[in-house]
Amino acid sequence: MPRPLSHWCLALAGFVGFVGWSAAEAQPARTPRQMIETLGVEVRQLLEDPKARRTPEQAEQAVADQIAALVHGAEGHPLLTELDLQQRSPLMLAVTGGHLRVVQALLSDPSVRLSVNVPDEAGETPWMLANFAPGVTLVACQPGTLTLERAQLLPPYLRRMADLLKSNAAPLKGIVDALQAAGAEATPDAARQAWLARCPNATAELREKLAGSAPLMAPLMATLIREAVQRQSAFNKSAAQGFADVPAQPPAGMVFVRLADDKTALARRNLMRVTDMRCQRMPKPELRGTLNWNGELLFRVRASTRAGVVEAADFEIQAAPRDARAVDYFRSVLLRTLANYQCEGTHDFEQKFQFKVN
């Protein structure tokens, strides 16, 4: 008969718990990239704290002020255009985070403006990334998130989405305007093709809508925002009516985190180890309820995190009796756990979880 999950053990490869610094410790000087990556987590925390003493806008302004001071004191400083392992600049990170004030501060530097059209490793420029508007268009790219199972990842993302859209997406549109004023080249056809390449799970209807190159096509950002808002609204309506029309899980075989060949990806560090990441919160999985099962399960999880939020995850079962109920249960546990991770930066990472229930 079912029994409480009171006797179990858990092994987590690379589980490091809290990684960061104490507020009481002297913080080292941080680069613009580090400041922007930390800002994403701070904005999430502020949006989740009803007693927060400052707003996300104030947190963003503080980072913008620090970067502006660096530009004023050391114009052309190499850290202002420092590239990460995927050849992404601080400007790209600020753009994808939806941080208009930080983008404006960075663009006040001549060296940043000179590199405004330089693409990253994926061939995406800051202008393209701005038009992807990832802070509000996740479910356009990953409609499989709108299922009973995967919706556990959505709450922290939706808070930021609502924050960015509360002024009719003004920060996102302002970023595009700031980039173009600084010399960014508008490449709508290339941007659509790049988005289609990064979002193979998008619906056939949306992909068909974006596949052409007609000059009269609707702007990419507006199309993606409209798609995401409509899909999220329909999901919310169905949820309010009891989830009758909501699928339990994504289609079988759907891959959320797409990487190059494993060996190549690891060699280029496009897939990070969780121990190499800076996470301000990384709780252990919490088992709830009862389960009429005993045995061992080993998962390898590949996940994507951005702005302090895990947005997508894939699960590979490496060792398990093929009990579908147990697999579904523990996958749900892990999704709930990942939803509470608060990790800095935009990364794809890997982590292993082993469960033993006796």
Side-chain angles (χ1 to χ4, degrees):
M1 61 183 294
R3 58 188 182 281
L5 289 166
S6 57
H7 185 60
W8 65 284
C9 65
L10 168 67
L12 300 92
F15 192 85
V16 294
F18 176 87
V19 180
W21 48 78
S22 166
E25 297 173 347
Q27 295 185 15
R30 296 182 301 160
T31 68
R33 177 177 59 81
Q34 290 170 333
M35 286 189 279
I36 295 166
E37 290 180 339
T38 303
L39 176 61
V41 175
E42 184 178 5
V43 167
R44 171 180 176 169
Q45 292 171 343
L46 291 172
L47 290 172
E48 293 179 350
D49 183 3
K51 298 181 179 179
R53 296 186 178 182
R54 64 175 181 167
T55 66
E57 292 78 12
Q58 290 171 326
E60 182 183 328
Q61 187 62 58
V63 172
D65 290 344
Q66 293 179 68
I67 291 175
L70 176 59
V71 173
H72 179 74
E75 191 174 274
H77 196 291
L79 290 177
L80 294 165
T81 52
E82 174 192 29
L83 302 180
D84 66 10
L85 293 167
Q86 285 76 54
Q87 303 301 299
R88 299 172 302 201
S89 65
L91 178 63
M92 291 176 173
L93 300 179
V95 164
T96 57
H99 304 306
L100 173 58
R101 294 171 179 84
V102 178
V103 168
Q104 292 170 330
L106 287 164
L107 289 173
S108 68
D109 182 77
S111 65
V112 174
R113 294 196 299 274
L114 283 173
S115 62
V116 74
N117 289 308
V118 176
D120 62 13
E121 187 176 67
E124 299 168 352
T125 66
W127 188 90
M128 292 181 187
L129 295 169
N131 281 275
F132 296 164
V136 299
T137 63
L138 173 64
V139 298
C141 181
Q142 298 284 11
T145 304
L146 295 178
T147 60
L148 292 178
E149 178 187 77
R150 299 300 173 115
Q152 296 184 84
L153 295 174
L154 280 174
Y157 183 90
L158 292 178
R159 293 187 187 94
R160 179 57 171 160
M161 180 181 181
D163 186 54
L164 288 169
L165 292 179
K166 68 184 179 183
S167 57
N168 195 28
L172 305 178
K173 297 171 183 174
I175 288 173
V176 174
D177 292 341
L179 289 169
Q180 292 182 174
E185 181 183 359
T187 56
D189 285 348
R192 284 196 294 271
Q193 294 307 315
W195 189 89
L196 289 168
R198 67 154 50 195
C199 296
N201 292 336
T203 65
E205 295 81 5
L206 179 57
R207 294 185 65 82
E208 182 178 359
K209 187 183 298 183
L210 296 175
S213 58
L216 297 180
M217 289 182 69
L220 177 61
M221 181 194 293
T223 301
L224 296 180
I225 292 177
R226 188 181 307 112
E227 174 82 6
V229 170
Q230 289 177 348
R231 286 194 165 276
Q232 189 65 55
S233 297
F235 177 84
N236 294 346
K237 181 179 179 180
S238 181
Q241 296 173 349
F243 294 102
D245 299 325
V246 177
Q249 295 176 337
M254 177 172 282
V255 176
F256 287 83
V257 184
R258 293 185 176 269
L259 303 170
D261 173 78
D262 281 358
K263 294 180 180 179
T264 303
L266 289 171
R268 296 162 68 182
R269 299 183 59 79
N270 286 353
L271 181 63
M272 295 189 70
R273 294 174 299 181
V274 71
T275 48
D276 293 330
M277 296 168 57
R278 184 182 292 275
C279 297
Q280 296 191 24
R281 188 166 189 264
M282 190 182 288
K284 292 182 179 180
E286 177 184 350
L287 275 62
R288 301 174 183 173
T290 60
L291 180 66
N292 187 23
W293 177 85
N294 61 71
E296 179 177 344
L297 274 166
L298 175 61
F299 288 91
R300 184 174 77 161
V301 178
R302 287 179 171 177
S304 296
T305 184
R306 188 186 56 79
V309 176
V310 173
E311 297 180 344
D314 292 320
F315 301 86
E316 178 185 335
I317 305 169
Q318 296 193 305
R322 297 291 172 154
D323 187 313
R325 294 170 303 162
V327 170
D328 289 348
Y329 174 83
F330 285 107
R331 186 169 53 234
S332 181
V333 166
L334 291 177
L335 284 164
R336 187 169 62 243
T337 301
L338 292 168
N340 289 299
Y341 277 25
Q342 296 179 4
C343 298
E344 298 176 11
T346 299
H347 304 294
D348 296 330
F349 69 93
E350 180 178 274
Q351 188 172 8
K352 292 184 179 180
F353 297 83
Q354 183 177 25
F355 297 94
K356 294 181 180 179
V357 178
N358 301 319

